[in-house]
């Protein structure tokens, strides 16, 4: 279902005119109201008059996460403080929190973006949305909440955790749409299985999953174990929260709400814009934000842009499912490699649980050498050395054909690779560069 | 009769074999035959013990990857030419051997050889046809 055909199915010419008008307005606002941007523009030698076409945006400076930290809490505010009606922020586990402030209009736009997102997964006013994203400073919980309210659906604000209660509510209130992180969806399925609860018999038919990277394989697993359709959604605290981009029933990339957010793909090294279809870092500009608008924000997420009308009828640009983060990217003999690509390739080799570690080193030849350590689990183990050697060379050849890099596979004992509660450590770079 | 062999995946690191044998010792299990196949990076330890299930569980709980495999333990008279005679039978009847290793003698006059073959049912039939003696426990 398309929530807002006027903006989602707009012709490309009309959309470009709208984006340019909004972008001009944004640059003027930032120039006149935000000292931080005024200084940046001055340093870069650009001003509001330098924006005559959408392409001109590439002359303007980027905004990075550290800029947001340095201006904490209200340094990037572009409206008078009393206009602010709501504030969200990142958890700040890696430093000072990143703040996003919303005016009444900003919250309305967020509702709109999330109504489109939930509609992409087929939600209507007849649905019951069980929202298991955390409520609070995190944008996930309230973002989905606002979208579901805008649609007119019944919203159950569960927040995260308390899985037994989640299952009880799912059964007793006949939830039809589930919203949570993909890993929590699988956790729920597991817990259901352990307690003899038939989760597949529930009325849930679709789920909107985001807030963490996940793979196509994980989608298949969620769909099989919960008996639902799983949709990928994308957003980030700095840029409003969820609702930046979402999948439709075609599941062929995530539609960017382009009238609200302007996407660019740039080379993460040089910052130069890359053409459509080419993989690089996603850069986002908020087109209508009043509270804390951002110009050319470096998301560090790696993807590519595809344009053209989708089978669903939407004309908005689509981003491919995220490949990884620029911070995780490895350059091996000039080839860009993401740990997630290695993970996907490993999953495809039957039985290989992706518990792996990548060690990069410069060998005696001064060329990059990469060693991939893969844990040998029971399913992979054989009493014959030949079988294990075959497995090893199979992984090596799959990596060669899929990633275009030559690496050496080392089979290691289970649990030799360090487990961490949060983000697993996947890469050791021993190169002295 | 077939018997169960425990295989254990070992990285080539100092002390791993000591770790496994300690786990077996703590379980009070007696090792009857042992062999290691090694490559540059890893080794596969193969064990025949008196109580295989208990031993395998103790080793797995110690964090090792283990696997049970059916193998044959054939009694062979402890004199020149006995092994050659068995091998000749296997050669003639098309028994394909993956690997073999010797075990402790059961008594002074016989040796026990552990065989891992490609097709164990076929091999059992050949063993029966030629009245070779297998043992089913240690």
């Amino acid at each position: 279902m398309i929530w807002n055909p006027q903006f989602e199915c707009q012709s490309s010419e009309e959309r470009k005119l709208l984006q340019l008008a909004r972008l001009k307005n944004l640059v003027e606002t930032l120039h006149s109201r935000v000292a931080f941007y005024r200084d940046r523009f001055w340093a870069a030698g650009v001003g509001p008059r330098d924006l005559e076409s959408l392409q001109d945006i590439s002359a303007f400076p980027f905004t990075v996460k550290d800029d947001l930290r340095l201006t904490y809490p209200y340094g990037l505010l572009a409206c008078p403080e009393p206009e602010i009606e709501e504030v969200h922020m990142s958890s700040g586990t890696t430093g000072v929190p990143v703040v996003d402030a919303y005016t009444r209009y900003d919250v309305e736009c967020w509702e709109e973006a999330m109504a489109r997102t939930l509609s992409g997964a087929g939600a209507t006013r007849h649905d019951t949305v069980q929202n298991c994203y955390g409520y609070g400073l995190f944008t996930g919980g309230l973002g989905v909440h606002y979208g579901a309210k805008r649609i007119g659906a019944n919203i159950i604000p569960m927040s995260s955790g308390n899985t037994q209660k989640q299952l009880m509510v799912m059964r007793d209130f006949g939830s039809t749409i589930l919203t949570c992180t993909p890993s929590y969806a699988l956790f729920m399925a597991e817990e259901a299985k352990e307690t003899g609860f038939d989760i597949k018999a529930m009325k849930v038919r679709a789920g909107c999953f985001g807030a963490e990277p996940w793979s196509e394989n994980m989608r298949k697993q969620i769909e099989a174990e919960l008996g639902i359709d799983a949709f990928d959604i994308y957003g980030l605290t700095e840029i409003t929260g969820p609702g930046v981009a979402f999948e439709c029933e075609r599941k062929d990339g995530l539609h960017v709400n382009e009238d609200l957010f302007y996407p660019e793909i740039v080379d993460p090294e040089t910052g130069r814009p890359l053409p459509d279809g080419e993989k690089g870092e996603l850069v986002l500009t908020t087109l209508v934000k009043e509270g804390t608008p951002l110009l050319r924000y470096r998301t560090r997420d790696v993807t590519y842009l595809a344009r053209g009308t989708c089978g669903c009828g939407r004309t908005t640009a689509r981003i491919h499912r995220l490949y990884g983060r620029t911070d995780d990217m490895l350059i091996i003999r000039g080839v860009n490699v993401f740990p997630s690509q290695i993970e996907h390739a490993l999953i495809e080799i039957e039985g290989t649980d992706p518990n792996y570690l990548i060690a990069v080193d410069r060998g005696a030849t001064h060329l990059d050498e990469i060693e991939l350590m893969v844990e040998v689990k029971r399913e992979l183990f054989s009493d014959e050395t030949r079988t294990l050697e075959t497995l090893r060379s199979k992984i090596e050849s799959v990596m060669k054909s899929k990633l275009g890099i030559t690496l050496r596979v080392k089979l290691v004992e289970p649990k030799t690779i360090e487990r961490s509660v949060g983000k697993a450590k996947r890469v050791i770079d021993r190169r002295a560069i | 009769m077939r018997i169960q062999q425990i295989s254990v995946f070992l990285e080539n690191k100092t002390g791993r074999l000591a770790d496994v044998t300690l786990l077996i010792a703590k379980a009070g299990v007696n090792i009857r035959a042992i062999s290691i196949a090694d490559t540059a990076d890893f080794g596969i330890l193969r064990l025949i013990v008196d109580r295989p299930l208990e031993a395998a569980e103790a080793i797995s709980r110690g964090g090792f990857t283990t696997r049970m495999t059916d193998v044959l333990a054939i009694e062979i008279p402890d004199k020149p030419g006995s092994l050659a005679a068995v091998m000749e039978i296997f050669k003639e009847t098309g028994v394909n051997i993956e690997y073999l290793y010797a075990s402790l003698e059961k008594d002074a006059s016989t040796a026990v050889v552990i065989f891992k073959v490609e097709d164990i049912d076929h091999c059992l039939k050949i063993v029966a046809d030629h009245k070779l003696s297998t043992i089913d426990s240690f």
Side-chain angles (χ1 to χ4, degrees):
Chain A
M1 208 213 118
I2 298 172
W3 177 254
N4 193 335
Q6 190 200 334
F7 290 109
E8 296 183 78
C9 307
Q10 203 169 25
S11 76
S12 133
E13 293 70 33
E14 270 183 304
R15 180 173 293 126
K16 280 181 186 161
L17 284 174
L18 177 75
Q19 287 177 323
L20 183 60
R22 288 182 167 179
L23 205 52
K24 280 183 167 177
N25 192 35
L26 171 74
V27 169
E28 253 163 52
T29 305
L30 293 176
H31 189 260
S32 62
R33 295 195 184 160
V34 187
F36 168 86
Y37 275 110
R38 193 163 43 240
D39 294 347
R40 279 288 168 92
F41 290 172
W42 186 80
V46 290
R49 274 181 296 178
D50 294 310
L51 194 80
E52 277 168 7
S53 73
L54 286 175
Q55 285 71 37
D56 292 341
I57 195 176
S58 60
F60 282 78
F62 291 115
T63 310
V64 298
K65 197 165 199 159
D66 274 344
D67 297 333
L68 275 62
R69 294 204 173 111
L70 289 171
T71 53
Y72 174 90
Y74 270 156
L76 290 179
L77 223 55
C79 68
E81 211 179 302
E83 304 274 305
I84 298 301
E85 289 202 349
E86 189 164 326
V87 166
H88 284 271
M89 61 189 87
S90 70
S91 55
T93 43
T94 51
V96 179
V98 162
V99 177
D100 196 350
Y102 309 68
T103 62
R104 177 64 247 169
Y105 177 69
D106 291 340
V107 174
E108 277 168 17
C109 289
W110 194 13
E111 287 172 2
E112 165 72 21
M114 282 309 294
R116 294 182 198 171
T117 299
L118 293 167
S119 301
T124 69
R125 56 181 294 271
H126 302 293
D127 277 299
T128 299
V129 179
Q130 182 164 343
N131 184 17
C132 331
Y133 284 111
Y135 279 68
L137 288 177
F138 173 57
T139 51
L142 282 166
V144 169
H145 191 94
Y146 293 149
K149 279 191 80 148
R150 173 67 73 94
I151 284 177
N154 177 10
I155 169 100
I156 309 181
M158 294 300 294
S159 201
S160 50
N162 203 346
T163 311
Q164 281 308 318
K165 191 163 191 180
Q166 299 275 7
L167 294 172
M168 186 190 87
V169 167
M170 186 184 283
R171 181 193 60 207
D172 297 345
F173 292 84
S175 311
T176 51
I177 306 279
L178 181 68
T179 54
C180 61
T181 59
S183 54
Y184 190 63
L186 283 179
F187 182 80
M188 274 172 104
E190 221 167 87
E191 182 118 341
K193 215 181 285 172
E194 272 170 28
T195 51
F197 183 96
D198 187 3
I199 199 165
K200 276 177 132 177
M202 295 300 103
K203 284 189 182 160
V204 181
R205 63 165 207 279
C208 293
F209 305 111
E212 65 185 20
W214 54 307
S215 61
E216 201 50 45
N217 220 61
M218 201 158 166
R219 185 208 305 270
K220 282 185 201 139
Q221 205 181 342
I222 291 172
E223 293 191 332
E225 289 190 15
L226 282 89
I228 63 171
D229 249 342
F231 296 86
D232 196 0
I233 64 173
Y234 174 75
L236 55 168
T237 309
E238 302 90 310
I239 307 285
T240 301
V244 172
F246 62 90
E247 275 183 331
C248 65
E249 69 273 15
R250 301 283 163 148
K251 295 176 187 167
D252 184 20
L254 288 80
H255 289 277
V256 180
N257 281 314
E258 272 192 286
D259 53 319
L260 308 174
F261 312 104
Y262 183 75
E264 296 171 83
I265 300 290
V266 304
D267 181 325
E269 302 277 306
T270 63
R272 274 195 216 107
L274 292 174
D276 290 346
E278 217 163 291
K279 223 191 278 179
E281 181 177 348
L282 177 66
V283 170
L284 290 168
T285 296
T286 61
L287 288 175
V288 295
K289 193 78 180 284
E290 293 178 339
T292 44
L294 294 181
L295 184 73
R296 307 194 81 204
Y297 183 68
R298 304 278 300 245
T299 65
R300 298 191 193 175
D301 289 317
V302 177
T303 181
Y304 66 82
L305 271 177
R307 293 188 207 267
T309 309
C310 175
C312 71
R314 290 177 183 84
T315 54
T316 43
R318 279 164 285 157
I319 51 169
H320 186 270
R321 176 186 281 280
L322 303 185
Y323 285 97
R325 310 259 310 154
T326 52
D327 346 30
D328 298 335
M329 192 174 77
L330 281 167
I331 303 173
I332 307 294
R333 298 193 188 186
V335 181
N336 292 356
V337 180
F338 293 98
S340 63
Q341 287 177 291
I342 292 183
E343 190 165 329
H344 292 166
L346 273 178
I347 291 168
E348 281 176 29
I349 299 166
E350 204 183 354
T352 311
D353 187 275
N355 227 326
Y356 62 92
L357 185 70
I358 304 153
V360 193
D361 215 336
R362 285 250 157 96
T365 52
H366 303 291
L367 286 172
D368 298 340
E369 280 170 10
I370 180 166
E371 185 173 66
L372 176 65
M373 282 172 253
V374 180
E375 287 189 356
V376 175
K377 296 226 161 175
R378 187 185 282 262
E379 305 79 47
L380 285 178
F381 182 46
S382 160
D383 60 311
E384 291 172 27
T385 45
R386 194 179 43 181
T387 315
L388 289 181
E389 289 289 2
T390 308
L391 171 73
R392 218 181 67 140
S393 51
K394 187 175 165 190
I395 297 174
E396 285 176 356
S397 67
V398 167
M399 293 299 158
K400 176 85 194 159
S401 65
K402 296 235 161 180
L403 277 70
I405 50 165
T406 305
L407 48 69
R408 212 183 86 78
V409 169
K410 185 180 180 185
L411 300 176
V412 299
E413 287 170 18
K415 309 234 162 68
T416 39
I417 297 169
E418 196 191 327
R419 302 291 197 279
S420 56
V421 186
K423 223 169 149 188
K425 180 142 184 67
R426 294 298 187 199
V427 180
I428 303 174
D429 203 334
R430 299 198 193 100
R431 292 176 293 187
I433 299 170
Chain B
M1 288 292 282
R2 52 186 86 196
I3 59 168
Q4 288 193 303
Q5 165 192 275
I6 305 165
S7 307
V8 187
F9 181 81
L10 294 179
E11 259 176 75
N12 281 358
K13 283 193 296 200
T14 314
R16 291 314 271 161
L17 196 51
D19 296 339
V20 179
T21 48
L22 183 66
L23 289 167
I24 301 170
K26 279 190 179 156
V29 172
N30 198 10
I31 300 172
R32 305 299 307 180
I34 187 163
S35 107
I36 286 192
D38 69 309
T39 70
D41 287 332
F42 63 87
I44 301 171
L45 174 69
R46 297 160 183 152
L47 295 159
I48 305 290
V49 299
D50 56 352
R51 297 200 307 282
L53 290 176
E54 281 168 53
E57 210 198 307
I59 300 167
S60 300
R61 254 191 282 127
F64 290 90
T65 302
T66 63
R67 189 190 180 94
M68 300 293 250
T69 317
D70 283 349
V71 294
L72 290 176
I74 301 179
E75 279 188 305
I76 294 170
D78 190 8
K79 58 183 187 200
S82 311
L83 184 61
V86 174
M87 297 313 255
E88 188 59 26
I89 293 170
F90 284 176
K91 182 180 155 191
E92 292 300 315
T93 53
V95 172
N96 194 9
I97 298 164
E98 304 284 359
Y99 55 82
L100 63 79
Y101 53 100
S103 133
L104 292 175
E105 295 176 8
K106 221 183 168 196
D107 57 57
S109 62
T110 53
V112 179
V113 178
I114 312 293
F115 286 87
K116 165 75 191 289
V117 295
E118 199 177 52
D119 182 349
I120 195 162
D121 294 321
H122 170 241
C123 185
L124 274 167
K125 191 175 164 295
I126 303 301
V127 164
D129 289 350
H130 291 81
K131 302 201 167 37
L132 295 174
S133 157
T134 60
I135 56 173
D136 54 10
S137 68
F138 277 94

